[in-house]
Amino acid sequence: MDLIVRNARLPGAPDRTVDIGINAGRIAVIEAGLAAEGEELDVDGRLVSPGFVETHIHLDKSCILDRCQSVRGDLPEAIGEVAKAKAGFTPEDVYARARRTLEKCLMQGTTHMRTQLEVDPGIGLRGLEGVRPLIEEYRWAIDIEICVFPQEGLLNNPGTDELMVAALNNGARVVGAAPYTDSDPHGQIDRVFALAREFDADIDMHLDFGPSADNLDLDYVCTLADRYRWGGRTAIGHVTKLAGASPARFEAAARRMRDAGVALTVLPSTDLFLMGRDCDCHQPRGVTHTHKLLHHGVNCSLSTNNVLNPFTPFGDCSLPRMANLNANICHIGAAADIRECFNMITERSARLINAPDYGLAPGKAADFVVLDCARTEEAVAELAPVLFAYKRGRRTLTRPAAMLHRPQPN
């Protein structure tokens, strides 16, 4: 074997330890007391998990707080401030900021990523030109795919459609949307599904960003996912409106999404920061309860979204921190639901982006992290640090030994 990870606890079986044999960048065998030779890493009963999966992050507009203001702190201000800043973006500038954010993700154990990327006549393809080189340069540590979308509208913004097509012809693999900024939201959704069929691309939309569940575009998205048989390939992000839905409306939306195969990514930090700005007191949290959607059979993920910009002036790119924040916001205390918060940054996220080679099983790519804890609920509750990260069997991260301690299973 090239590597043997000894005495590992796996997410689904924390009460026993196993050894993981890795050869040629893939998991060859998982069993207790593996009789094999090779380089060894004894993790001493710690949790070994598939690497974290970032399903929704904006590399291209990260780290621009020095160029923008956030006074009102609401969505229109954030869109307007970033629109002004984008006019000064160059490919080199985008590359440098995206690289800085990407390396933060690597330091937190992220091994797969879908990054959202804006195109419009103001920015052109400069964002794509800045981010695209990172895919190859960092392939040793992370798999990255680009979702291209029109932040400032599509049908109301002449020239944007042509840029969407150009991006899909030049490295983007997923097509996105932001219908709430368009003069014809359903028209934008129609066009995105048409592009998805033309390019055989998955869909990942910013959707239903607002306080009220009176009108939900997700119903129309589900209708088109059914019509074009794009279930399992359609995801929507934010959907803060569901946080204000009545129980009956919430359950109806959950059933509709489940039946259509439409998944949801919630962005706890951004949704919490931007929502409730129109209330003087008792501001609504605006974060949709993903764990309740899971109970209805909807696949969900948790993700970072924005880092150090007017949409979210925070961020260290830790997905366990997003899982922890989500658990706090949504009053999650049941152990099973806390474990699902961890699943929503690992296996459920991988399923949402259709990662083909993900998981801890023989034959899969050896993409994994070692956390300084014994159970997934501890990783969420205690923000257990990532001690090691591996990509295709190659170590990409080592934490200082001073941070290590022996986990004590309950």
Side-chain angles (χ1 to χ4, degrees):
M1 296 287 176
D2 294 333
L3 175 67
I4 304 167
V5 181
R6 299 282 188 189
N7 300 308
R9 296 183 191 275
L10 304 185
D15 296 325
R16 64 188 183 96
T17 61
V18 296
D19 300 332
I20 305 171
I22 296 164
N23 204 41
R26 295 192 169 273
I27 298 172
V29 61
I30 300 177
E31 63 183 42
L34 176 62
E37 295 183 354
E39 178 187 346
E40 295 192 2
L41 174 67
D42 189 343
V43 299
D44 200 18
R46 292 180 173 85
L47 178 66
V48 175
S49 165
F52 298 130
V53 182
E54 187 74 79
T55 60
H56 187 128
I57 191 169
H58 295 261
L59 292 179
D60 58 332
K61 60 185 183 186
S62 65
C63 306
I64 56 171
L65 280 179
D66 59 333
R67 312 177 195 186
C68 303
Q69 63 177 355
S70 181
V71 177
R72 297 194 312 274
D74 57 17
L75 180 62
E77 180 186 58
I79 292 174
E81 286 294 308
V82 173
K84 289 187 290 185
K86 281 192 300 184
F89 286 5
T90 65
E92 295 77 15
D93 166 54
V94 172
Y95 172 88
R97 290 183 290 99
R99 181 179 179 182
R100 173 185 168 189
T101 302
L102 179 60
E103 291 188 349
K104 286 185 178 182
C105 294
L106 301 185
M107 292 297 293
Q108 301 288 1
T110 301
T111 60
H112 295 73
M113 173 183 289
R114 173 180 288 175
T115 182
Q116 303 278 336
L117 190 144
E118 298 181 20
V119 295
D120 55 59
I123 182 66
L125 296 178
R126 298 193 298 277
L128 179 68
E129 292 164 3
V131 170
R132 188 173 54 192
L134 296 169
I135 297 175
E136 289 301 323
E137 290 179 26
Y138 282 84
R139 192 175 295 278
W140 58 273
I142 189 169
D143 292 326
I144 305 171
E145 67 178 10
I146 294 173
C147 174
V148 62
F149 82 106
Q151 174 70 84
E152 298 171 36
L154 178 60
L155 304 183
N156 61 311
N157 204 359
T160 303
D161 193 293
E162 293 82 356
L163 290 166
M164 293 275 287
V165 171
L168 288 163
N169 277 317
N170 288 278
R173 294 290 175 263
V174 184
V175 58
Y180 48 82
T181 65
D182 209 302
S183 56
D184 182 0
H186 283 196
Q188 184 180 128
I189 294 169
D190 287 335
R191 178 56 179 151
V192 165
F193 270 90
L195 287 169
R197 287 187 297 159
E198 179 181 350
F199 288 92
D200 191 25
D202 287 358
I203 292 171
D204 197 336
M205 299 184 175
H206 298 67
L207 205 73
D208 288 328
F209 204 105
S212 170
D214 294 340
N215 296 295
L216 294 174
D217 286 332
L218 73 83
D219 293 321
Y220 190 63
V221 170
C222 290
T223 296
L224 294 191
D226 279 337
R227 181 182 303 168
Y228 299 121
R229 299 181 180 179
W230 232 253
R233 302 189 65 182
T234 303
I236 55 180
H238 295 292
V239 192
T240 60
K241 290 183 177 182
L242 269 188
S246 68
R249 185 67 181 96
F250 185 95
E251 291 177 13
R255 290 193 299 270
R256 189 73 184 92
M257 293 170 65
R258 176 199 63 203
D259 294 345
V262 173
L264 171 66
T265 295
V266 162
L267 300 314
S269 186
T270 298
D271 296 346
L272 183 64
F273 179 74
L274 291 177
M275 289 293 98
R277 295 287 179 169
D278 55 342
C279 298
D280 293 329
C281 62
H282 291 295
Q283 286 91 349
R285 299 181 174 205
V287 178
T288 290
H289 288 215
T290 49
H291 66 294
K292 294 182 179 179
L293 289 172
L294 297 182
H295 296 168
H296 289 281
V298 180
N299 188 35
C300 297
S301 73
L302 301 169
S303 201
T304 298
N305 195 36
N306 283 288
V307 178
L308 302 177
N309 70 22
F311 292 88
T312 319
F314 321 108
D316 62 358
C317 302
S318 166
L319 284 170
R321 192 179 305 283
M322 290 300 104
N324 177 284
L325 179 60
N326 183 75
N328 276 278
I329 296 167
C330 297
H331 302 142
I332 297 173
D337 286 335
I338 294 175
R339 287 193 289 272
E340 284 290 13
C341 287
F342 188 86
N343 293 338
M344 285 189 281
I345 59 173
T346 53
E347 61 182 52
R348 287 189 174 277
S349 288
R351 192 188 317 166
L352 186 146
I353 66 171
N354 291 308
D357 203 17
Y358 182 90
L360 290 180
K364 297 291 187 180
D367 301 341
F368 62 92
V369 293
V370 179
L371 292 107
D372 200 12
C373 62
R375 291 179 167 83
T376 56
E377 54 266 44
E378 295 168 7
V380 174
E382 302 176 27
L383 295 176
V386 176
L387 303 181
F388 305 101
Y390 283 80
K391 186 67 177 175
R392 289 180 282 274
R394 175 183 174 183
R395 190 184 299 187
T396 59
L397 171 66
T398 303
R399 277 280 189 271
M403 296 186 66
L404 306 186
H405 72 275
R406 183 183 179 88
Q408 299 294 325
N410 295 325

